[in-house]
Amino acid sequence: MKRLLFILSFLICQLSFSETLAQSGLKINDLFEGRVIPQERMVETRVRGKSIAKYQLSYYRSLRLSATDKEAGQLRQLLGQDAERSIDMRTSRKNPHRWDTWTCKLQMPSAGNKNRFVCYQEQWDKAHEQCEVTVIYMEGTVESLEQLEELLK
């Protein structure tokens, strides 16, 4: 019985450890670790397994949060540092003359046999005082941002 408990504990620790390593080496990982915005202000979703395998993904992790202008600036700075190391980057604005909705997608260097992607979106309120931020980290066998966009349509 002790052996079984030890093995189960070991496997649980390995799973937790591998999830924390997923975004390792990325600046935006500071957000996922709660170093920029407290964890209690974020809604987190993690998905592994069959439900995302059809998208050629093995891991999906997202955060949703409300951010002030200052916090959004900190997040853009982290994202910009990751963008400097990215393989591919795509940005878009809903209204090109304003910052109402801004999206950035990055393909990061692979980690082992996993290709890694970061998607970031800001949606500002009319007064531009508060914005809803969504940050998504994905990894899998998807080859490119273009292929990922096609799979997710």
Side-chain angles (χ1 to χ4, degrees), residues 94-152:
K94 185 176 177 184
N95 181 346
H97 304 291
R98 298 185 60 193
W99 276 84
D100 293 340
T101 301
W102 180 70
T103 304
C104 179
K105 299 172 188 164
L106 304 174
Q107 180 176 358
M108 301 307 297
S110 60
N113 61 349
K114 305 282 185 185
N115 294 322
R116 304 184 307 161
F117 303 89
V118 176
C119 299
Y120 177 92
Q121 183 178 60
E122 290 180 3
Q123 291 184 317
W124 287 89
D125 64 8
K126 290 182 180 182
H128 285 256
E129 294 174 1
Q130 195 79 14
C131 76
E132 291 296 314
V133 175
T134 304
V135 182
I136 301 170
Y137 171 84
M138 294 172 277
E139 63 182 37
T141 58
V142 179
E143 295 292 324
S144 65
L145 274 176
E146 184 178 351
Q147 184 183 13
L148 180 64
E149 288 172 341
E150 287 298 315
L151 288 168
L152 296 177

